[in-house]
């Protein structure tokens, strides 16, 4: 079998904020080798996850690039591996049959060729395919593992979440509320703040772009201090959260998006506070928590079916929309999990 594949590449390394003009479209022919024991499969890409971490793979240099295979640098002209859902259209691999849904590593293109590395069969269980890159996929597991395993919450604790209207952040807030915590989120627009309070059940939310002194802001929302900070942004928000934290507070360092496109920016938390308040700051990668997937899925599906969790997704359509969907992450355009539906099932 042979397919014509349109796919997206970077034209050159990207060292600042990405722009749509940094990307170009290419065309290739994909075919299975003559040898039927090659293990290769061809996947029709259906839904691609659009993720901030990809920018660190596109840089000339990033400390992230040598940490794991997920984070390896991307060269200009090379296919961009990404998480997503697809359907097998041809297989030489005994693990996969034509027609199987798969989830895992595919690419920013119409088709992917794979030997099944970081790719598994998917049972959609009656849910839309997009849920399996979001709430029931790696985004959900990131929120679940980061909150329950890294932060080790207790009922009644006070939790602060940044980028709370984003893919991971909104789920952290929902898990924390369902668990019995007091939850405050910050986000970058009035529309997002309203959604957090009125739809997702956050106790409070604020627009960080309208605040001039983040220390005062956090003290206003947490007069008794923060117990848990789920950090998606780094920078000055991390500094302010540390200064507002209670003794034995925990910070789950999930992401530092405010620093991804600004090489000169660094969080500089007050380390005396960290020491004297015995605060734990723990970076984590979702890839190290895959063992939690079954319990994560069980709880999340239960919450979905009983209406305790809401799905917040931001879906655009067609391969052409991938560059703008990606670039928009760094402007705060997305509300919830951003993904692109490449093709109808
Ligand atoms: P997301 O929150 O859905 O989207 C990115 C959001 O970041 C934007 O909507 C915007 O929201 C905010 N943002 C963009 N530029 C910013 C800046 N300069 N300063 C402050 N906020 C900015 O993305 P996500 O997929 O859920 O990822 C959230 C974070 O978690 C990212 O840092 C990501 O790299 C990280 N992550 C880590 C893991 C892991 O294994 N550790 C896994 C998945 C994701 P506002 O409108 O609120 O500004």
């Amino acid at each position: 079998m042979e397919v014509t594949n349109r796919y997206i590449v970077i034209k050159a390394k990207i060292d600042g904020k990405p722009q749509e003009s940094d990307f170009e479209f290419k065309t290739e022919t994909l075919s299975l080798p003559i040898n039927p024991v090659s293990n290769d499969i061809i996947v029709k890409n259906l839904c691609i996850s659009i993720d901030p971490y990809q920018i660190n793979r596109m840089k000339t240099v990033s400390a992230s690039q040598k940490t794991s295979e997920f984070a390896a640098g991307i060269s200009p002209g090379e296919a961009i591996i990404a998480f997503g859902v697809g359907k097998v259209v041809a297989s030489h691999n005994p693990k996969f049959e034509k027609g199987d849904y798969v989830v895992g590593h595919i690419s920013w293109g119409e088709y992917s060729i794979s030997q099944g590395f970081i790719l598994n069969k998917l049972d959609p269980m009656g849910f839309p395919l997009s849920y399996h890159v979001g709430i029931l996929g790696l985004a959900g597991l990131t929120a679940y593992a980061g909150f329950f395993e890294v932060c080790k919450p207790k009922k009644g604790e006070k939790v602060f979440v940044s980028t709370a209207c984003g893919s991971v952040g909104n789920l952290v807030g929902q898990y924390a509320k369902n668990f019995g915590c007091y939850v405050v989120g910050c986000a970058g627009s009035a529309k997002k703040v309203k959604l957090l309070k009125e739809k997702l059940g956050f106790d409070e939310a604020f627009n960080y772009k309208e605040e001039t002194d983040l220390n005062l802001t956090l003290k206003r929302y947490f007069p008794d201090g923060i117990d848990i900070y789920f950090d998606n942004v780094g920078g000055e928000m991390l500094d302010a959260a540390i200064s507002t934290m209670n003794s034995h507070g925990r910070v789950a360092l999930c992401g530092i998006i405010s620093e991804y496109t600004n090489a000169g920016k660094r969080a500089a938390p007050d380390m005396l506070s960290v020491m004297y308040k015995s605060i734990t700051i723990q970076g984590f990668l979702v890839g190290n928590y895959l063992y939690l997937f079954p319990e994560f899925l069980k709880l999340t599906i239960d919450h979905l079916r009983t209406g305790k969790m809401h799905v917040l997704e931001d879906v655009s359509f067609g391969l052409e929309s991938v560059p703008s969907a990606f670039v928009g992450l760094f402007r705060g355009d997305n509300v919830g999990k951003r993904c692109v539906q490449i093709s109808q099932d």
Side-chain angles (χ1 to χ4, degrees):
M1 167 158 193
E2 199 173 88
V3 293
T4 302
N5 178 37
R6 252 162 65 75
Y7 65 107
I8 297 172
V9 301
I10 52 170
K11 292 181 191 165
K13 294 283 186 178
I14 306 172
D15 286 312
K17 278 206 170 188
Q19 299 176 4
E20 286 180 49
S21 57
D22 292 327
F23 300 92
E24 63 185 344
F25 290 80
K26 293 204 163 194
T27 303
E28 65 183 353
T29 302
L30 296 179
S31 58
L32 290 186
I34 307 293
N35 180 357
V37 289
S38 66
N39 273 345
D40 287 19
I41 58 174
I42 297 178
V43 175
K44 185 180 185 191
N45 300 337
L46 298 177
C47 185
I48 297 177
S49 176
I50 305 294
D51 294 296
Y53 80 95
Q54 297 275 19
I55 194 66
N56 297 323
R57 303 183 60 211
M58 295 170 184
K59 292 175 186 172
T60 311
V61 179
S62 168
S64 59
Q65 288 178 3
K66 291 201 169 71
T67 56
S68 79
E69 55 214 339
F70 292 102
I74 298 167
S75 299
E78 180 191 348
I80 298 171
I81 302 298
F83 194 77
V85 171
K87 198 171 202 174
V88 176
V89 291
S91 175
H92 279 179
N93 188 315
K95 273 172 58 191
F96 301 97
E97 281 177 25
K98 184 178 173 188
D100 284 345
Y101 287 115
V102 287
V103 63
H105 272 183
I106 55 173
S107 60
W108 282 13
E110 291 170 339
Y111 291 90
S112 310
I113 196 150
S114 167
Q115 292 201 318
F117 179 61
I118 313 187
L119 196 71
N120 291 304
K121 270 195 205 187
L122 171 72
D123 172 3
M125 296 176 288
F127 293 106
L129 295 178
S130 58
Y131 284 23
H132 298 280
V133 303
I135 189 165
L136 301 179
L138 279 191
L141 182 63
T142 304
Y144 180 91
F147 182 63
F148 289 110
E149 198 65 21
V150 177
C151 298
K152 301 207 183 316
K154 299 180 197 72
K155 287 190 199 317
E157 284 194 315
K158 291 171 278 305
V159 176
F160 176 46
V161 188
S162 50
T163 69
C165 217
S167 166
V168 174
N170 90 84
L171 298 174
V172 173
Q174 294 192 72
Y175 284 129
K177 273 309 299 172
N178 282 314
F179 184 71
C181 293
Y182 173 80
V183 184
V184 178
C186 72
S189 73
K191 178 182 157 195
K192 292 183 181 183
V193 167
K194 190 169 174 343
L195 205 147
L196 290 173
K197 291 200 286 191
E198 293 181 4
K199 181 168 178 196
L200 300 187
F202 281 57
D203 295 288
E204 287 290 351
F206 64 90
N207 179 355
Y208 68 94
K209 291 180 181 167
E210 287 180 344
E211 300 295 330
T212 49
D213 184 331
L214 292 174
N215 284 315
L216 289 181
T217 306
L218 290 185
K219 287 188 175 65
R220 197 163 76 235
Y221 286 101
F222 293 96
D224 299 323
I226 298 171
D227 298 307
I228 288 172
Y229 174 39
F230 195 101
D231 187 15
N232 287 311
V233 298
E236 55 272 45
M237 194 63 86
L238 174 58
D239 300 345
I242 293 285
S243 75
T244 316
M245 285 198 97
N246 293 327
S247 287
H248 301 287
R250 285 86 72 206
V251 177
L253 200 69
C254 177
I256 51 169
I257 195 167
S258 76
E259 303 178 27
Y260 291 172
T261 55
N262 183 349
K265 189 167 178 178
R266 288 282 183 280
D270 175 6
M271 297 310 272
L272 269 183
S273 282
V274 174
M275 182 175 70
Y276 278 94
K277 293 196 270 183
S278 302
I279 293 169
T280 304
I281 304 176
Q282 186 181 335
F284 75 98
L285 287 176
V286 62
N288 294 331
Y289 293 90
L290 298 179
Y291 66 93
L292 292 176
F293 201 80
E295 65 173 67
F296 145 73
L297 207 56
K298 186 171 180 305
L299 178 80
T300 310
I301 288 177
D302 185 53
H303 280 353
L304 269 178
R305 294 206 163 124
T306 53
K308 286 186 179 167
M309 281 182 91
H310 299 279
V311 178
L312 210 56
E313 332 181 280
D314 186 322
V315 186
S316 54
F317 298 91
L319 188 69
E320 280 66 24
S321 70
V322 170
S324 64
F326 178 64
V327 167
L329 287 176
F330 302 93
R331 293 189 298 250
D333 291 355
N334 62 304
V335 178
K337 174 65 206 164
R338 182 153 268 195
C339 52
V340 175
Q341 187 182 319
I342 301 296
S343 173
Q344 294 282 4
D345 183 8

